[in-house]
Amino acid sequence: MINDFEIERREMVKNQIIARGIKDNSVINAMLNIPRHLFVSDKFIVNAYSDMALPTTDGQTISQPYMVAVMTELLELKKDCKVLEIGTGSGYQTAILASLSKEVFTIERIKTLSEKAQTTLSSLGYKNIYYIVGDGTLGHKENAPYDRIIVTAGAPEVPLPLKEQLADKGILIAPVGSRYSQQLIKIIKQGDKFIDKYSTGCVFVPLLGEYGWKD
Ligand code: SAM
């Protein structure tokens, strides 16, 4: 019988997600249902449910499951949300977002990663995801404003175009800090004001682009 990793997935959610304080049942259920092992390369499949980020290709990573859960919980997603994601990567976070919202626009600067994520997500039946290859620090004006924006690479500061493309009462989550360590920032837009809150420390690969790191 093919191992569908259900036991590993349940253990991951119990020991890494619920035990560390994630309470949002919709996030917990999404992580129980989405087959993370399909988003990692064959070489790392035995570690698909381990408590760590894993290498993908081109020096990039699939984020640690707990970090995916924290960021998703902070986003407070609702079924009618239009979401912008910067950094498609493997597409695992995209799958979680797409299962909890109306539609997801996801931008990745590396074409091969975007194409691979698209293949995986299409094979799982997702029809509410739109893929863009390019510099996500510029956002995606064509479909703005977005109810939620999530940046999954470490930024020196929150890119201005992303703040401009956030809807009123919208929420943006991004890891912000130095190149080697960041803190999650949650921004809530209220009229013409932005309210900033800081959450947990984290380490992400750099957000490269016009409003990110330069190389
Ligand atoms: N959330 C992803 C997952 O679940 O696999 C992990 C994302 S990985 C930590 C960060 C991704 O951001 C990388 O794939 C990287 O190529 C991408 N990235 C970095 N700078 C970017 C930019 N300016 N625009 C779009 N993607 C960018």
Side-chain angles (χ1 to χ4, degrees), residues 36 39 56-58 60-63 68 85-94 107-110 113 134-138 152-154 204-210:
R36 184 174 159 89
F39 294 85
T56 50
T57 51
D58 299 277
Q60 302 305 317
T61 54
I62 170 170
S63 307
V68 173
E85 178 189 35
I86 315 303
T88 314
S90 70
Y92 176 67
Q93 171 81 73
T94 320
I107 311 180
E108 172 55 57
R109 58 182 283 276
I110 301 173
L113 281 179
D135 178 3
T137 70
L138 303 172
T152 69
F204 278 82
V205 293
L207 181 76
L208 299 174
E210 191 171 330

PDB file of all heavy atoms in Angstrom, residues 36 39 56-58 60-63 68 85-94 107-110 113 134-138 152-154 204-210, ligand 1:
ATOM      1  N   ARG A  36       1.547  17.355   2.736  1.00  0.00           N
ATOM      2  CA  ARG A  36       2.798  18.121   2.639  1.00  0.00           C
ATOM      3  C   ARG A  36       3.891  17.352   1.880  1.00  0.00           C
ATOM      4  O   ARG A  36       4.720  17.954   1.200  1.00  0.00           O
ATOM      5  CB  ARG A  36       3.265  18.472   4.060  1.00  0.00           C
ATOM      6  CG  ARG A  36       4.505  19.346   4.135  1.00  0.00           C
ATOM      7  CD  ARG A  36       4.791  19.754   5.569  1.00  0.00           C
ATOM      8  NE  ARG A  36       6.163  20.153   5.789  1.00  0.00           N
ATOM      9  CZ  ARG A  36       6.620  21.394   5.636  1.00  0.00           C
ATOM     10  NH1 ARG A  36       5.807  22.350   5.287  1.00  0.00           N
ATOM     11  NH2 ARG A  36       7.891  21.674   5.841  1.00  0.00           N
ATOM     12  N   PHE A  39       4.768  18.161  -1.674  1.00  0.00           N
ATOM     13  CA  PHE A  39       5.389  19.453  -1.983  1.00  0.00           C
ATOM     14  C   PHE A  39       6.911  19.431  -1.778  1.00  0.00           C
ATOM     15  O   PHE A  39       7.569  20.423  -2.031  1.00  0.00           O
ATOM     16  CB  PHE A  39       4.766  20.552  -1.109  1.00  0.00           C
ATOM     17  CG  PHE A  39       3.311  20.803  -1.433  1.00  0.00           C
ATOM     18  CD1 PHE A  39       2.309  20.040  -0.859  1.00  0.00           C
ATOM     19  CD2 PHE A  39       2.951  21.793  -2.342  1.00  0.00           C
ATOM     20  CE1 PHE A  39       0.975  20.258  -1.163  1.00  0.00           C
ATOM     21  CE2 PHE A  39       1.616  22.014  -2.658  1.00  0.00           C
ATOM     22  CZ  PHE A  39       0.622  21.251  -2.068  1.00  0.00           C
ATOM     23  N   THR A  56      14.295  23.256  -1.256  1.00  0.00           N
ATOM     24  CA  THR A  56      13.597  22.914  -2.498  1.00  0.00           C
ATOM     25  C   THR A  56      14.657  22.956  -3.594  1.00  0.00           C
ATOM     26  O   THR A  56      15.616  22.207  -3.524  1.00  0.00           O
ATOM     27  CB  THR A  56      12.413  23.885  -2.776  1.00  0.00           C
ATOM     28  OG1 THR A  56      12.860  25.226  -2.668  1.00  0.00           O
ATOM     29  CG2 THR A  56      11.277  23.645  -1.813  1.00  0.00           C
ATOM     30  N   THR A  57      14.527  23.814  -4.562  1.00  0.00           N
ATOM     31  CA  THR A  57      15.607  23.950  -5.552  1.00  0.00           C
ATOM     32  C   THR A  57      16.029  25.406  -5.585  1.00  0.00           C
ATOM     33  O   THR A  57      15.418  26.251  -4.914  1.00  0.00           O
ATOM     34  CB  THR A  57      15.131  23.529  -6.961  1.00  0.00           C
ATOM     35  OG1 THR A  57      13.919  24.230  -7.239  1.00  0.00           O
ATOM     36  CG2 THR A  57      14.896  22.041  -7.052  1.00  0.00           C
ATOM     37  N   ASP A  58      17.038  25.707  -6.324  1.00  0.00           N
ATOM     38  CA  ASP A  58      17.535  27.072  -6.503  1.00  0.00           C
ATOM     39  C   ASP A  58      17.875  27.750  -5.171  1.00  0.00           C
ATOM     40  O   ASP A  58      17.709  28.961  -5.022  1.00  0.00           O
ATOM     41  CB  ASP A  58      16.501  27.932  -7.256  1.00  0.00           C
ATOM     42  CG  ASP A  58      16.207  27.382  -8.636  1.00  0.00           C
ATOM     43  OD1 ASP A  58      16.987  27.677  -9.552  1.00  0.00           O
ATOM     44  OD2 ASP A  58      15.224  26.637  -8.779  1.00  0.00           O
ATOM     45  N   GLN A  60      16.288  27.632  -2.410  1.00  0.00           N
ATOM     46  CA  GLN A  60      15.095  28.097  -1.688  1.00  0.00           C
ATOM     47  C   GLN A  60      14.600  27.003  -0.732  1.00  0.00           C
ATOM     48  O   GLN A  60      15.173  25.911  -0.674  1.00  0.00           O
ATOM     49  CB  GLN A  60      14.009  28.499  -2.690  1.00  0.00           C
ATOM     50  CG  GLN A  60      14.460  29.577  -3.661  1.00  0.00           C
ATOM     51  CD  GLN A  60      14.988  30.818  -2.949  1.00  0.00           C
ATOM     52  OE1 GLN A  60      14.422  31.293  -1.976  1.00  0.00           O
ATOM     53  NE2 GLN A  60      16.113  31.342  -3.433  1.00  0.00           N
ATOM     54  N   THR A  61      13.562  27.319   0.034  1.00  0.00           N
ATOM     55  CA  THR A  61      13.088  26.379   1.048  1.00  0.00           C
ATOM     56  C   THR A  61      11.563  26.277   1.067  1.00  0.00           C
ATOM     57  O   THR A  61      10.876  27.201   0.642  1.00  0.00           O
ATOM     58  CB  THR A  61      13.522  26.837   2.463  1.00  0.00           C
ATOM     59  OG1 THR A  61      13.079  28.185   2.661  1.00  0.00           O
ATOM     60  CG2 THR A  61      15.025  26.756   2.655  1.00  0.00           C
ATOM     61  N   ILE A  62      11.074  25.147   1.605  1.00  0.00           N
ATOM     62  CA  ILE A  62       9.672  25.037   2.007  1.00  0.00           C
ATOM     63  C   ILE A  62       9.684  25.312   3.510  1.00  0.00           C
ATOM     64  O   ILE A  62      10.474  24.724   4.253  1.00  0.00           O
ATOM     65  CB  ILE A  62       9.063  23.658   1.642  1.00  0.00           C
ATOM     66  CG1 ILE A  62       7.678  23.481   2.283  1.00  0.00           C
ATOM     67  CG2 ILE A  62       9.946  22.486   1.985  1.00  0.00           C
ATOM     68  CD1 ILE A  62       6.918  22.233   1.769  1.00  0.00           C
ATOM     69  N   SER A  63       8.845  26.235   3.962  1.00  0.00           N
ATOM     70  CA  SER A  63       8.913  26.713   5.341  1.00  0.00           C
ATOM     71  C   SER A  63       8.564  25.614   6.344  1.00  0.00           C
ATOM     72  O   SER A  63       7.828  24.669   6.030  1.00  0.00           O
ATOM     73  CB  SER A  63       7.953  27.891   5.536  1.00  0.00           C
ATOM     74  OG  SER A  63       8.202  28.882   4.567  1.00  0.00           O
ATOM     75  N   VAL A  68       4.342  28.075   9.011  1.00  0.00           N
ATOM     76  CA  VAL A  68       3.182  28.157   8.107  1.00  0.00           C
ATOM     77  C   VAL A  68       1.900  28.337   8.936  1.00  0.00           C
ATOM     78  O   VAL A  68       1.048  29.177   8.636  1.00  0.00           O
ATOM     79  CB  VAL A  68       3.084  26.878   7.223  1.00  0.00           C
ATOM     80  CG1 VAL A  68       1.790  26.864   6.413  1.00  0.00           C
ATOM     81  CG2 VAL A  68       4.298  26.783   6.290  1.00  0.00           C
ATOM     82  N   GLU A  85      -0.128  36.297  -2.177  1.00  0.00           N
ATOM     83  CA  GLU A  85       1.014  35.641  -1.537  1.00  0.00           C
ATOM     84  C   GLU A  85       2.279  35.985  -2.315  1.00  0.00           C
ATOM     85  O   GLU A  85       2.305  35.836  -3.537  1.00  0.00           O
ATOM     86  CB  GLU A  85       0.822  34.117  -1.527  1.00  0.00           C
ATOM     87  CG  GLU A  85       2.001  33.383  -0.908  1.00  0.00           C
ATOM     88  CD  GLU A  85       1.955  31.867  -1.064  1.00  0.00           C
ATOM     89  OE1 GLU A  85       1.475  31.398  -2.127  1.00  0.00           O
ATOM     90  OE2 GLU A  85       2.383  31.161  -0.156  1.00  0.00           O
ATOM     91  N   ILE A  86       3.316  36.406  -1.602  1.00  0.00           N
ATOM     92  CA  ILE A  86       4.609  36.675  -2.240  1.00  0.00           C
ATOM     93  C   ILE A  86       5.567  35.556  -1.848  1.00  0.00           C
ATOM     94  O   ILE A  86       5.884  35.400  -0.658  1.00  0.00           O
ATOM     95  CB  ILE A  86       5.208  38.039  -1.769  1.00  0.00           C
ATOM     96  CG1 ILE A  86       4.155  39.154  -1.762  1.00  0.00           C
ATOM     97  CG2 ILE A  86       6.436  38.392  -2.613  1.00  0.00           C
ATOM     98  CD1 ILE A  86       3.468  39.404  -3.064  1.00  0.00           C
ATOM     99  N   GLY A  87       6.030  34.787  -2.836  1.00  0.00           N
ATOM    100  CA  GLY A  87       6.930  33.662  -2.574  1.00  0.00           C
ATOM    101  C   GLY A  87       6.168  32.346  -2.614  1.00  0.00           C
ATOM    102  O   GLY A  87       5.936  31.723  -1.581  1.00  0.00           O
ATOM    103  N   THR A  88       5.796  31.894  -3.805  1.00  0.00           N
ATOM    104  CA  THR A  88       5.035  30.640  -3.958  1.00  0.00           C
ATOM    105  C   THR A  88       5.833  29.447  -3.435  1.00  0.00           C
ATOM    106  O   THR A  88       5.269  28.549  -2.807  1.00  0.00           O
ATOM    107  CB  THR A  88       4.716  30.384  -5.460  1.00  0.00           C
ATOM    108  OG1 THR A  88       4.228  31.580  -6.054  1.00  0.00           O
ATOM    109  CG2 THR A  88       3.726  29.263  -5.647  1.00  0.00           C
ATOM    110  N   GLY A  89       7.146  29.452  -3.715  1.00  0.00           N
ATOM    111  CA  GLY A  89       8.008  28.335  -3.294  1.00  0.00           C
ATOM    112  C   GLY A  89       7.460  27.007  -3.779  1.00  0.00           C
ATOM    113  O   GLY A  89       7.146  26.827  -4.955  1.00  0.00           O
ATOM    114  N   SER A  90       7.312  26.068  -2.843  1.00  0.00           N
ATOM    115  CA  SER A  90       6.797  24.736  -3.195  1.00  0.00           C
ATOM    116  C   SER A  90       5.300  24.747  -3.459  1.00  0.00           C
ATOM    117  O   SER A  90       4.758  23.799  -4.034  1.00  0.00           O
ATOM    118  CB  SER A  90       7.068  23.770  -2.037  1.00  0.00           C
ATOM    119  OG  SER A  90       6.218  24.115  -0.937  1.00  0.00           O
ATOM    120  N   GLY A  91       4.606  25.781  -2.945  1.00  0.00           N
ATOM    121  CA  GLY A  91       3.147  25.836  -3.079  1.00  0.00           C
ATOM    122  C   GLY A  91       2.397  25.285  -1.869  1.00  0.00           C
ATOM    123  O   GLY A  91       1.165  25.293  -1.841  1.00  0.00           O
ATOM    124  N   TYR A  92       3.135  24.817  -0.842  1.00  0.00           N
ATOM    125  CA  TYR A  92       2.445  24.241   0.331  1.00  0.00           C
ATOM    126  C   TYR A  92       1.620  25.304   1.073  1.00  0.00           C
ATOM    127  O   TYR A  92       0.435  25.108   1.350  1.00  0.00           O
ATOM    128  CB  TYR A  92       3.466  23.590   1.275  1.00  0.00           C
ATOM    129  CG  TYR A  92       2.831  23.063   2.540  1.00  0.00           C
ATOM    130  CD1 TYR A  92       1.950  21.986   2.507  1.00  0.00           C
ATOM    131  CD2 TYR A  92       3.104  23.655   3.779  1.00  0.00           C
ATOM    132  CE1 TYR A  92       1.359  21.507   3.671  1.00  0.00           C
ATOM    133  CE2 TYR A  92       2.512  23.181   4.945  1.00  0.00           C
ATOM    134  CZ  TYR A  92       1.645  22.109   4.879  1.00  0.00           C
ATOM    135  OH  TYR A  92       1.047  21.646   6.041  1.00  0.00           O
ATOM    136  N   GLN A  93       2.254  26.461   1.354  1.00  0.00           N
ATOM    137  CA  GLN A  93       1.509  27.544   2.017  1.00  0.00           C
ATOM    138  C   GLN A  93       0.343  28.003   1.131  1.00  0.00           C
ATOM    139  O   GLN A  93      -0.745  28.293   1.622  1.00  0.00           O
ATOM    140  CB  GLN A  93       2.477  28.717   2.305  1.00  0.00           C
ATOM    141  CG  GLN A  93       1.818  29.978   2.794  1.00  0.00           C
ATOM    142  CD  GLN A  93       1.494  29.979   4.283  1.00  0.00           C
ATOM    143  OE1 GLN A  93       2.374  30.090   5.117  1.00  0.00           O
ATOM    144  NE2 GLN A  93       0.211  29.868   4.580  1.00  0.00           N
ATOM    145  N   THR A  94       0.568  28.022  -0.174  1.00  0.00           N
ATOM    146  CA  THR A  94      -0.484  28.411  -1.124  1.00  0.00           C
ATOM    147  C   THR A  94      -1.703  27.494  -0.975  1.00  0.00           C
ATOM    148  O   THR A  94      -2.851  27.952  -1.007  1.00  0.00           O
ATOM    149  CB  THR A  94       0.043  28.314  -2.580  1.00  0.00           C
ATOM    150  OG1 THR A  94       1.381  28.792  -2.636  1.00  0.00           O
ATOM    151  CG2 THR A  94      -0.837  29.086  -3.545  1.00  0.00           C
ATOM    152  N   ILE A 107       2.774  34.996  -6.210  1.00  0.00           N
ATOM    153  CA  ILE A 107       3.883  35.467  -7.061  1.00  0.00           C
ATOM    154  C   ILE A 107       5.189  34.789  -6.640  1.00  0.00           C
ATOM    155  O   ILE A 107       5.504  34.730  -5.443  1.00  0.00           O
ATOM    156  CB  ILE A 107       4.081  36.997  -6.937  1.00  0.00           C
ATOM    157  CG1 ILE A 107       2.746  37.738  -7.091  1.00  0.00           C
ATOM    158  CG2 ILE A 107       5.109  37.496  -7.957  1.00  0.00           C
ATOM    159  CD1 ILE A 107       2.860  39.266  -6.971  1.00  0.00           C
ATOM    160  N   GLU A 108       5.926  34.279  -7.619  1.00  0.00           N
ATOM    161  CA  GLU A 108       7.229  33.664  -7.372  1.00  0.00           C
ATOM    162  C   GLU A 108       8.210  34.216  -8.408  1.00  0.00           C
ATOM    163  O   GLU A 108       7.881  34.311  -9.585  1.00  0.00           O
ATOM    164  CB  GLU A 108       7.108  32.129  -7.481  1.00  0.00           C
ATOM    165  CG  GLU A 108       8.402  31.355  -7.443  1.00  0.00           C
ATOM    166  CD  GLU A 108       9.266  31.634  -6.216  1.00  0.00           C
ATOM    167  OE1 GLU A 108       8.796  31.459  -5.094  1.00  0.00           O
ATOM    168  OE2 GLU A 108      10.435  32.046  -6.408  1.00  0.00           O
ATOM    169  N   ARG A 109       9.426  34.570  -7.958  1.00  0.00           N
ATOM    170  CA  ARG A 109      10.388  35.146  -8.909  1.00  0.00           C
ATOM    171  C   ARG A 109      11.112  34.075  -9.727  1.00  0.00           C
ATOM    172  O   ARG A 109      11.663  34.367 -10.786  1.00  0.00           O
ATOM    173  CB  ARG A 109      11.383  36.086  -8.222  1.00  0.00           C
ATOM    174  CG  ARG A 109      12.196  35.471  -7.123  1.00  0.00           C
ATOM    175  CD  ARG A 109      13.121  36.476  -6.468  1.00  0.00           C
ATOM    176  NE  ARG A 109      14.286  36.746  -7.268  1.00  0.00           N
ATOM    177  CZ  ARG A 109      15.382  35.975  -7.258  1.00  0.00           C
ATOM    178  NH1 ARG A 109      15.434  34.888  -6.505  1.00  0.00           N
ATOM    179  NH2 ARG A 109      16.413  36.286  -8.007  1.00  0.00           N
ATOM    180  N   ILE A 110      11.112  32.816  -9.230  1.00  0.00           N
ATOM    181  CA  ILE A 110      11.810  31.749  -9.969  1.00  0.00           C
ATOM    182  C   ILE A 110      10.776  30.919 -10.735  1.00  0.00           C
ATOM    183  O   ILE A 110       9.941  30.222 -10.139  1.00  0.00           O
ATOM    184  CB  ILE A 110      12.632  30.873  -8.996  1.00  0.00           C
ATOM    185  CG1 ILE A 110      13.661  31.747  -8.249  1.00  0.00           C
ATOM    186  CG2 ILE A 110      13.301  29.721  -9.725  1.00  0.00           C
ATOM    187  CD1 ILE A 110      14.413  31.053  -7.142  1.00  0.00           C
ATOM    188  N   LEU A 113      10.184  27.133 -10.082  1.00  0.00           N
ATOM    189  CA  LEU A 113       9.467  26.846  -8.828  1.00  0.00           C
ATOM    190  C   LEU A 113       7.975  27.080  -9.010  1.00  0.00           C
ATOM    191  O   LEU A 113       7.144  26.283  -8.564  1.00  0.00           O
ATOM    192  CB  LEU A 113       9.979  27.747  -7.692  1.00  0.00           C
ATOM    193  CG  LEU A 113      11.297  27.356  -7.013  1.00  0.00           C
ATOM    194  CD1 LEU A 113      11.657  28.380  -5.943  1.00  0.00           C
ATOM    195  CD2 LEU A 113      11.191  25.974  -6.393  1.00  0.00           C
ATOM    196  N   GLY A 134       7.409  36.778 -11.226  1.00  0.00           N
ATOM    197  CA  GLY A 134       7.929  38.147 -11.260  1.00  0.00           C
ATOM    198  C   GLY A 134       8.355  38.608  -9.887  1.00  0.00           C
ATOM    199  O   GLY A 134       8.480  37.810  -8.954  1.00  0.00           O
ATOM    200  N   ASP A 135       8.581  39.918  -9.786  1.00  0.00           N
ATOM    201  CA  ASP A 135       9.039  40.518  -8.535  1.00  0.00           C
ATOM    202  C   ASP A 135       7.831  40.845  -7.648  1.00  0.00           C
ATOM    203  O   ASP A 135       7.139  41.840  -7.854  1.00  0.00           O
ATOM    204  CB  ASP A 135       9.842  41.790  -8.851  1.00  0.00           C
ATOM    205  CG  ASP A 135      10.320  42.489  -7.583  1.00  0.00           C
ATOM    206  OD1 ASP A 135      10.083  41.955  -6.470  1.00  0.00           O
ATOM    207  OD2 ASP A 135      10.933  43.567  -7.701  1.00  0.00           O
ATOM    208  N   GLY A 136       7.627  40.015  -6.649  1.00  0.00           N
ATOM    209  CA  GLY A 136       6.478  40.179  -5.754  1.00  0.00           C
ATOM    210  C   GLY A 136       6.553  41.412  -4.867  1.00  0.00           C
ATOM    211  O   GLY A 136       5.548  41.794  -4.269  1.00  0.00           O
ATOM    212  N   THR A 137       7.730  42.034  -4.762  1.00  0.00           N
ATOM    213  CA  THR A 137       7.806  43.251  -3.922  1.00  0.00           C
ATOM    214  C   THR A 137       6.977  44.382  -4.543  1.00  0.00           C
ATOM    215  O   THR A 137       6.645  45.348  -3.870  1.00  0.00           O
ATOM    216  CB  THR A 137       9.257  43.741  -3.689  1.00  0.00           C
ATOM    217  OG1 THR A 137       9.799  44.259  -4.902  1.00  0.00           O
ATOM    218  CG2 THR A 137      10.151  42.635  -3.146  1.00  0.00           C
ATOM    219  N   LEU A 138       6.661  44.218  -5.838  1.00  0.00           N
ATOM    220  CA  LEU A 138       5.830  45.223  -6.517  1.00  0.00           C
ATOM    221  C   LEU A 138       4.350  44.917  -6.355  1.00  0.00           C
ATOM    222  O   LEU A 138       3.493  45.702  -6.773  1.00  0.00           O
ATOM    223  CB  LEU A 138       6.175  45.263  -8.023  1.00  0.00           C
ATOM    224  CG  LEU A 138       7.637  45.543  -8.369  1.00  0.00           C
ATOM    225  CD1 LEU A 138       7.874  45.354  -9.864  1.00  0.00           C
ATOM    226  CD2 LEU A 138       8.013  46.956  -7.943  1.00  0.00           C
ATOM    227  N   THR A 152       6.344  35.470   2.202  1.00  0.00           N
ATOM    228  CA  THR A 152       6.982  34.289   2.789  1.00  0.00           C
ATOM    229  C   THR A 152       8.496  34.287   2.561  1.00  0.00           C
ATOM    230  O   THR A 152       9.126  33.234   2.500  1.00  0.00           O
ATOM    231  CB  THR A 152       6.349  32.976   2.261  1.00  0.00           C
ATOM    232  OG1 THR A 152       6.702  32.833   0.879  1.00  0.00           O
ATOM    233  CG2 THR A 152       4.846  32.983   2.402  1.00  0.00           C
ATOM    234  N   ALA A 153       9.082  35.477   2.437  1.00  0.00           N
ATOM    235  CA  ALA A 153      10.544  35.627   2.388  1.00  0.00           C
ATOM    236  C   ALA A 153      10.886  36.852   3.233  1.00  0.00           C
ATOM    237  O   ALA A 153      10.069  37.769   3.387  1.00  0.00           O
ATOM    238  CB  ALA A 153      11.009  35.796   0.945  1.00  0.00           C
ATOM    239  N   GLY A 154      12.112  36.845   3.795  1.00  0.00           N
ATOM    240  CA  GLY A 154      12.496  37.888   4.756  1.00  0.00           C
ATOM    241  C   GLY A 154      12.794  39.225   4.084  1.00  0.00           C
ATOM    242  O   GLY A 154      13.610  39.302   3.168  1.00  0.00           O
ATOM    243  N   PHE A 204      13.960  33.480   7.446  1.00  0.00           N
ATOM    244  CA  PHE A 204      13.486  33.165   6.092  1.00  0.00           C
ATOM    245  C   PHE A 204      14.579  33.472   5.081  1.00  0.00           C
ATOM    246  O   PHE A 204      15.449  34.305   5.327  1.00  0.00           O
ATOM    247  CB  PHE A 204      12.262  34.020   5.751  1.00  0.00           C
ATOM    248  CG  PHE A 204      10.967  33.478   6.287  1.00  0.00           C
ATOM    249  CD1 PHE A 204      10.594  33.720   7.606  1.00  0.00           C
ATOM    250  CD2 PHE A 204      10.122  32.726   5.488  1.00  0.00           C
ATOM    251  CE1 PHE A 204       9.400  33.219   8.104  1.00  0.00           C
ATOM    252  CE2 PHE A 204       8.930  32.222   5.980  1.00  0.00           C
ATOM    253  CZ  PHE A 204       8.570  32.467   7.284  1.00  0.00           C
ATOM    254  N   VAL A 205      14.493  32.829   3.908  1.00  0.00           N
ATOM    255  CA  VAL A 205      15.370  33.214   2.794  1.00  0.00           C
ATOM    256  C   VAL A 205      14.996  34.648   2.399  1.00  0.00           C
ATOM    257  O   VAL A 205      13.879  35.097   2.653  1.00  0.00           O
ATOM    258  CB  VAL A 205      15.219  32.263   1.573  1.00  0.00           C
ATOM    259  CG1 VAL A 205      15.731  30.875   1.898  1.00  0.00           C
ATOM    260  CG2 VAL A 205      13.783  32.199   1.072  1.00  0.00           C
ATOM    261  N   PRO A 206      15.952  35.394   1.799  1.00  0.00           N
ATOM    262  CA  PRO A 206      15.684  36.813   1.534  1.00  0.00           C
ATOM    263  C   PRO A 206      14.647  37.077   0.444  1.00  0.00           C
ATOM    264  O   PRO A 206      14.563  36.349  -0.549  1.00  0.00           O
ATOM    265  CB  PRO A 206      17.056  37.356   1.112  1.00  0.00           C
ATOM    266  CG  PRO A 206      17.890  36.190   0.784  1.00  0.00           C
ATOM    267  CD  PRO A 206      17.326  34.986   1.456  1.00  0.00           C
ATOM    268  N   LEU A 207      13.886  38.134   0.669  1.00  0.00           N
ATOM    269  CA  LEU A 207      12.970  38.658  -0.342  1.00  0.00           C
ATOM    270  C   LEU A 207      13.819  39.546  -1.256  1.00  0.00           C
ATOM    271  O   LEU A 207      14.305  40.601  -0.844  1.00  0.00           O
ATOM    272  CB  LEU A 207      11.878  39.491   0.333  1.00  0.00           C
ATOM    273  CG  LEU A 207      10.834  40.092  -0.606  1.00  0.00           C
ATOM    274  CD1 LEU A 207       9.852  39.021  -1.078  1.00  0.00           C
ATOM    275  CD2 LEU A 207      10.060  41.220   0.089  1.00  0.00           C
ATOM    276  N   LEU A 208      14.012  39.099  -2.495  1.00  0.00           N
ATOM    277  CA  LEU A 208      14.873  39.821  -3.439  1.00  0.00           C
ATOM    278  C   LEU A 208      14.003  40.623  -4.392  1.00  0.00           C
ATOM    279  O   LEU A 208      13.031  40.096  -4.936  1.00  0.00           O
ATOM    280  CB  LEU A 208      15.718  38.824  -4.246  1.00  0.00           C
ATOM    281  CG  LEU A 208      16.684  37.934  -3.448  1.00  0.00           C
ATOM    282  CD1 LEU A 208      17.336  36.918  -4.366  1.00  0.00           C
ATOM    283  CD2 LEU A 208      17.732  38.765  -2.727  1.00  0.00           C
ATOM    284  N   GLY A 209      14.353  41.885  -4.597  1.00  0.00           N
ATOM    285  CA  GLY A 209      13.561  42.646  -5.557  1.00  0.00           C
ATOM    286  C   GLY A 209      13.674  44.141  -5.318  1.00  0.00           C
ATOM    287  O   GLY A 209      14.406  44.595  -4.435  1.00  0.00           O
ATOM    288  N   GLU A 210      12.899  44.875  -6.093  1.00  0.00           N
ATOM    289  CA  GLU A 210      13.007  46.342  -6.074  1.00  0.00           C
ATOM    290  C   GLU A 210      12.763  46.915  -4.683  1.00  0.00           C
ATOM    291  O   GLU A 210      13.442  47.837  -4.251  1.00  0.00           O
ATOM    292  CB  GLU A 210      12.017  46.931  -7.089  1.00  0.00           C
ATOM    293  CG  GLU A 210      12.262  48.401  -7.316  1.00  0.00           C
ATOM    294  CD  GLU A 210      11.436  48.940  -8.469  1.00  0.00           C
ATOM    295  OE1 GLU A 210      11.133  48.185  -9.423  1.00  0.00           O
ATOM    296  OE2 GLU A 210      11.099  50.142  -8.413  1.00  0.00           O
TER     297      GLU A 210
HETATM  298  N1  SAM B   1       5.758  29.417   1.358  1.00  0.00           N
HETATM  299  C1  SAM B   1       6.654  28.603   0.594  1.00  0.00           C
HETATM  300  C2  SAM B   1       6.355  27.142   0.760  1.00  0.00           C
HETATM  301  O1  SAM B   1       5.427  26.792   1.491  1.00  0.00           O
HETATM  302  O2  SAM B   1       7.044  26.352   0.125  1.00  0.00           O
HETATM  303  C3  SAM B   1       8.079  28.874   0.981  1.00  0.00           C
HETATM  304  C4  SAM B   1       8.568  30.111   0.408  1.00  0.00           C
HETATM  305  S1  SAM B   1      10.327  30.282   0.481  1.00  0.00           S
HETATM  306  C5  SAM B   1      10.648  30.418   2.183  1.00  0.00           C
HETATM  307  C6  SAM B   1      10.456  31.951  -0.140  1.00  0.00           C
HETATM  308  C7  SAM B   1      10.192  32.065  -1.617  1.00  0.00           C
HETATM  309  O3  SAM B   1      10.152  33.465  -1.940  1.00  0.00           O
HETATM  310  C8  SAM B   1      11.272  31.470  -2.490  1.00  0.00           C
HETATM  311  O4  SAM B   1      10.706  30.525  -3.355  1.00  0.00           O
HETATM  312  C9  SAM B   1      11.843  32.665  -3.258  1.00  0.00           C
HETATM  313  O5  SAM B   1      12.248  32.357  -4.567  1.00  0.00           O
HETATM  314  C10 SAM B   1      10.672  33.627  -3.237  1.00  0.00           C
HETATM  315  N2  SAM B   1      10.998  35.042  -3.432  1.00  0.00           N
HETATM  316  C11 SAM B   1      12.034  35.760  -2.950  1.00  0.00           C
HETATM  317  N3  SAM B   1      11.953  37.043  -3.362  1.00  0.00           N
HETATM  318  C12 SAM B   1      10.818  37.138  -4.122  1.00  0.00           C
HETATM  319  C13 SAM B   1      10.176  38.181  -4.837  1.00  0.00           C
HETATM  320  N4  SAM B   1      10.647  39.430  -4.882  1.00  0.00           N
HETATM  321  N5  SAM B   1       9.037  37.901  -5.497  1.00  0.00           N
HETATM  322  C14 SAM B   1       8.518  36.655  -5.504  1.00  0.00           C
HETATM  323  N6  SAM B   1       9.087  35.611  -4.842  1.00  0.00           N
HETATM  324  C15 SAM B   1      10.208  35.852  -4.164  1.00  0.00           C
END
